[in-house]
Amino acid sequence: MNTLVRRAVLSLTIVAFLLTPLSAEDWFRWRGPNLDGISSESDWDCDWPEGKAVIAWRASVGIGYSSVVIADGRVFTIGHVDGHDVVHAIHESDGTIAWRFQYPATLDDRDFEGGPTSTPTVDGEQVYVLSRAGELFCLNVGTGESIWQQSVAEQADVRLPGWGCSAAPLVVGDRLLVNLGAAGAVVDKKTGELIWSSEDRESGYATPVVMPDSNPPAAIFASGKAYVAVEIETGRQLWSERWLTSFNCNAADPIISERRMFLSSGYNRGAALFELGKEAPKLIWKSKEMKNQIHGSILYEGCLYGLDGDMEAGARLRCMDWKTGEVRWSEDDLQPGGMTLAGGRLILLTESGELLVAPADAEVWRPIAETKVVEGKCWTGPVLSNGRIYVRSIQGELVCIDCRS
Amino acid sequence: MPNQLHRRQAMQATLAWAGAAVLANRTERAHGFLNANDRPRIGAVGTGSRWYQKATGVDSQYGSAPSMRQLGDYTAICDADAYRVGLASGIAKEWSGAAPKASADYRAILDDKEIDIVHISTPDHWHAKIAIEAMLAGKDVYCEKPMTLTIEEGRLMSKVCKETKRVCQIGTQQRSNPKFIQAIALIRAGRLGDVKKATCSIGGAPTSPELPIAEPPKTLDWNLWQGPAAETPFRYLAGSNGETKSWSRGHYEFRWWYEYSGGKLTDWGAHHCDIATWGLGKTETGPVSVDPVMVEHPVEFKDGYPIDESRYNTATKFLINSTFADGKEIELRHDQGNGILFEGTKGRIFVNRGRLTGTPVDDLKGNPLPADALKSVYKDRELTDHFRNFMIACQDRNDPISDVHSHHRALTTCHLAGIAARMGRKLKWDPKAEKIVGDEQAQALVDRERRKGFEIEV
């Protein structure tokens, strides 16, 4: 294909994409189709009379922190049940089980409730699952049958981070990026065969992020002690930004926008914005006012919306100016458990299971709807897809709220 | 005259075990010797951490000696530090059962007719003099990298090696690592197309605080340690934080001083620039221009020399481009981790000690290299470790895998990068005449004056 033709096809594709109604969208991977924590769906209701939402269904999916992904009418998540981690595929329409796939796993509840912490990734006919022990499973999206399974940790011969693997696998072309080792590992998505791995040092907990416009393509991996940019083809390091946190806990995905990169960690570490160029990142500002312990912030219209502080002590919901790091507002008493953004509205789940909706407004936090949807502790961010909001508790109650108008 | 050279035994000392080697070849043994009496006798000059870290009082298996001693016996030990002579002698005795001859002066080893091989692990500024004298004395040499302190020393070593027909292996052991051999084989098979550029990520040097003048350790002969380098006071500062044990102008840390080394440009440069030069097929020539695009030194330089003598002075950050007559490039840089990226018209590969990656590597599954591709790169010998390769070369009298001549060419690029960094300007190099063109001040750094009594006499 010559360049002109390719450009024409590309333009048509973009036009076609823009013309697609934004009312429904599969949230098929961690942080959504655009990897930014934002759903473009705007055609959904949060008109909850007397605080009562329409609960479409409830399901029990086992103990854990795994978020949900949605593709082709099915909802996928992982939970721990009796010595196994169970991958659930649930019909979006009625909450009935389409299939289950399980692998042996320990609950491993040191310091927290335990269970799986990573989120599955759907890619066409496959769903990929990474266990805390560093095993990777490729399952048939329709049947749950195992297509291949590999222990990436063993193949790469690298140690697991203290609380096990929690990043979602990221598909880039024919490759699957896994956050394991000093600067990630990459396997062939068709076979699970290891293509490259990095040195035997602790990884962090964030999901790899592709650097936009990088040529050759590159991704950023959170290690225990740094955020490292590497070429996806070779694993060659482009730069490493030292980022030390207590317990090597770099868990928030880096946010990249217009040649700028935002990093943030909890345990009193704080945040910083960098300029990305050909060489190592250059610091623009740093701040102690946004400490993302386990949830990445969301960048929307020039502001970061994020949870600041450690969850155990009670985090604050904050809005921060992207360019300057200035705190625009801070809500200190909400006890937030997780958050997403859809159609210009923030959807916040509190630790105790209340769902709040408020316009993403850089001036003020002003909720317009509130409903209590689940009992128990919630630390997993809510997800909106195809007009439905999904909420799960750590104990494994998954609730589907019908918000279709 | 402390520098008197003894040539009387040249070409004779190795006869005893060379004879055994012929026998060994006849029985088609790939390597090794028929009985303990035929094992080569090795003299170690310099017994610091590269020889065997245990000999510095640190409990570590790091070093060349544990491998080398499988293939020969250390029958003589020499170091300017009596403490290390003591520890190394004890270790050598444990290995071979017999106490080695011990001395501070390496000439005792060159004079010893019983010695077949000289293993040089001194600081860089001593390498060439000892290696040249050892070859002239008829010894085969295993010299740890980087081979030299200056370009001129490399020219001399190459000349003497040819004239004496000695076997001299440089300790760039990446040349015996299958990953690097495979990388070269991929390039030679055309899997990358025309390879235009090799980028070597080799790290930057550390900095130090101001180091006060201090008494050298009682066991160290500071005058002998300095040898050909200009005389200067010893400096030392104990580390104040947990990260650095100490800073010094001596053992191990010599590599962060231009007076004794080239910093990272020659420390890791000797490894990666060697592979880059090999891969680009430039082992018999050199660049025509060297451009210090970006260089940071921890101290100020004037006319190529540091003006503060109390701190480490080698480059902490750099990006230095060397271009060959046909436009091919070698880039030396401090960042981007550690390894070499080869970029060709059809593909790119990345190689370091941990990995060999890139689409041409992935393609090997469906399209493997011919069966003899690796052997062909490895100078038609079977792949083995770097020390065995050396011993086999000592028997068959052909060049070992890391020969003096190609290493001299690769290291010339590193030395030129160092000179360009120190001068802070772009250099033109005539690879045939081996001279810097149109810059007398820079050309003066191609060689160095050696202290009286430590000259190299050929």
Side-chain angles (χ1 to χ4, degrees), chain A residues 175 183-184 188 193 195-199 216 230-231 233-239 242 278-280, chain B residues 199 201 243 319 333 335-338 340-341 347-350 354-360 362 365:
Chain A
R175 296 178 167 210
D188 184 323
E193 197 185 334
I195 294 171
W196 58 256
S197 60
S198 51
E199 279 173 78
V230 297
E231 287 182 2
E233 182 192 354
T234 62
R236 182 175 88 107
Q237 180 183 313
L238 296 175
W239 47 257
R242 203 166 142 88
K278 279 197 170 157
E279 309 299 327
Chain B
T199 304
S201 291
E243 281 188 31
L319 193 165
R333 56 191 303 157
D335 56 352
Q336 301 189 334
N338 178 297
I340 309 152
L341 178 75
R348 18 194 342 268
I349 53 171
F350 177 73
R355 68 161 72 122
L356 169 63
T357 50
T359 309
D362 303 340
K365 264 171 264 160

Side-chain angles (χ1 to χ4, degrees), chain A residues 37-327:
Chain A
I38 300 174
S39 162
S40 58
E41 290 185 37
S42 53
D43 190 14
W44 55 276
D45 271 349
C46 55
D47 183 17
W48 297 325
E50 289 167 34
K52 287 211 171 78
V54 179
I55 306 297
W57 49 262
R58 291 176 190 269
S60 180
V61 295
I63 299 168
Y65 291 71
S66 177
S67 183
V68 298
V69 289
I70 294 95
D72 294 332
R74 288 188 173 134
V75 181
F76 305 87
T77 191
I78 325 169
H80 185 86
V81 184
D82 296 336
H84 289 85
D85 284 353
V86 183
V87 183
H88 293 77
I90 301 169
H91 292 293
E92 180 187 47
S93 54
D94 59 9
T96 55
I97 298 289
W99 54 258
R100 287 193 190 97
F101 174 87
Q102 65 177 36
Y103 53 90
T106 55
L107 179 64
D108 197 1
D109 55 354
R110 288 169 297 129
D111 309 324
F112 69 114
E113 290 79 354
T117 49
S118 83
T119 299
T121 299
V122 178
D123 178 58
E125 294 301 304
Q126 282 75 244
V127 54
Y128 298 100
V129 171
L130 181 64
S131 76
R132 281 177 72 191
E135 301 140 317
L136 198 51
F137 301 88
C138 172
L139 309 175
N140 181 299
V141 88
T143 65
E145 283 167 309
S146 168
I147 299 167
W148 55 257
Q149 52 192 65
Q150 289 281 3
S151 170
V152 190
E154 270 179 29
Q155 276 192 93
D157 196 18
V158 294
R159 73 196 68 184
L160 297 168
W163 291 296
C165 295
S166 74
L170 177 68
V171 176
V172 180
D174 286 339
R175 296 178 167 210
L176 205 50
L177 280 54
V178 177
N179 192 4
L180 200 55
V186 163
V187 303
D188 184 323
K189 79 172 183 186
K190 295 198 185 94
T191 62
E193 197 185 334
L194 186 70
I195 294 171
W196 58 256
S197 60
S198 51
E199 279 173 78
D200 177 23
R201 276 187 244 129
E202 261 192 55
S203 69
Y205 301 88
T207 293
V209 167
V210 171
M211 287 221 287
D213 311 322
S214 50
N215 182 27
I220 299 172
F221 288 89
S223 82
K225 297 191 187 321
Y227 282 80
V228 189
V230 297
E231 287 182 2
I232 294 168
E233 182 192 354
T234 62
R236 182 175 88 107
Q237 180 183 313
L238 296 175
W239 47 257
S240 172
E241 185 62 37
R242 203 166 142 88
W243 193 264
L244 301 178
T245 318
S246 309
F247 317 113
N248 292 336
C249 192
N250 291 326
D253 301 354
I255 298 174
I256 302 175
S257 173
E258 293 173 346
R259 313 297 301 164
R260 301 278 190 279
M261 172 179 71
F262 172 81
L263 300 181
S264 180
S265 294
Y267 302 101
N268 206 33
R269 177 64 171 92
L273 188 75
F274 297 87
E275 184 184 344
L276 294 181
K278 279 197 170 157
E279 309 299 327
K282 268 171 39 194
L283 182 71
I284 296 171
W285 56 256
K286 57 181 173 180
S287 165
K288 285 268 188 196
E289 301 300 318
M290 186 64 92
K291 302 173 288 291
N292 295 153
Q293 184 196 22
I294 55 176
H295 302 90
S297 290
I298 297 168
L299 173 63
Y300 181 72
E301 292 187 345
C303 282
L304 289 156
Y305 297 88
L307 309 190
D308 167 60
D310 296 348
M311 299 296 284
E312 290 290 354
R316 292 157 292 275
L317 173 65
R318 283 193 161 164
C319 172
M320 177 177 257
D321 189 281
W322 168 260
K323 282 202 176 106
T324 63
E326 180 199 344
V327 176

Side-chain angles (χ1 to χ4, degrees), chain B residues 128-315:
Chain B
K129 179 172 167 61
I130 298 168
I132 286 169
E133 291 174 6
M135 287 190 279
L136 289 171
K139 316 293 190 193
D140 290 328
V141 172
Y142 187 99
C143 181
E144 299 293 349
K145 51 59 48 181
M147 183 173 81
T148 58
L149 183 68
T150 68
I151 294 171
E152 183 57 25
E153 286 179 353
R155 268 165 42 85
L156 267 182
M157 271 191 72
S158 177
K159 181 169 172 271
V160 171
C161 185
K162 272 182 194 144
E163 283 173 6
T164 59
K165 297 193 171 64
R166 293 297 91 196
V167 169
C168 181
Q169 172 95 304
I170 308 306
T172 39
Q173 72 276 12
Q174 287 183 170
R175 281 206 179 197
S176 294
N177 175 323
K179 288 194 178 67
F180 294 94
I181 300 284
Q182 199 176 16
I184 303 291
L186 280 166
I187 293 170
R188 290 199 182 165
R191 300 294 178 90
L192 281 71
D194 188 14
V195 181
K196 300 280 191 195
K197 185 176 177 182
T199 304
C200 305
S201 291
I202 56 179
T207 58
S208 76
E210 187 180 332
L211 309 186
I213 291 173
E215 276 294 310
K218 284 204 167 55
T219 53
L220 176 66
D221 183 338
W222 176 234
N223 180 58
L224 184 61
W225 188 94
Q226 293 181 89
E231 201 172 357
T232 180
F234 181 75
R235 287 176 188 271
Y236 177 87
L237 183 65
S240 52
N241 54 18
E243 281 188 31
T244 307
K245 221 173 107 212
S246 64
W247 297 273
S248 82
R249 187 174 184 130
H251 293 324
Y252 189 83
E253 280 85 16
F254 69 85
R255 70 198 68 214
W256 315 128
W257 303 85
Y258 271 127
E259 293 83 346
Y260 316 117
S261 176
K264 284 278 187 188
L265 286 172
T266 56
D267 187 49
W268 264 95
H271 285 302
H272 285 353
C273 189
D274 172 52
I275 300 296
T277 306
W278 201 16
L280 293 180
K282 299 295 181 191
T283 53
E284 289 174 17
T285 181
V288 293
S289 80
V290 179
D291 186 3
V293 179
M294 185 276 288
V295 178
E296 284 181 26
H297 284 122
V299 297
E300 207 180 310
F301 274 68
K302 191 169 182 294
D303 298 330
Y305 292 93
I307 59 168
D308 178 351
E309 60 182 36
S310 68
R311 296 164 192 269
Y312 293 173
N313 54 34
T314 58

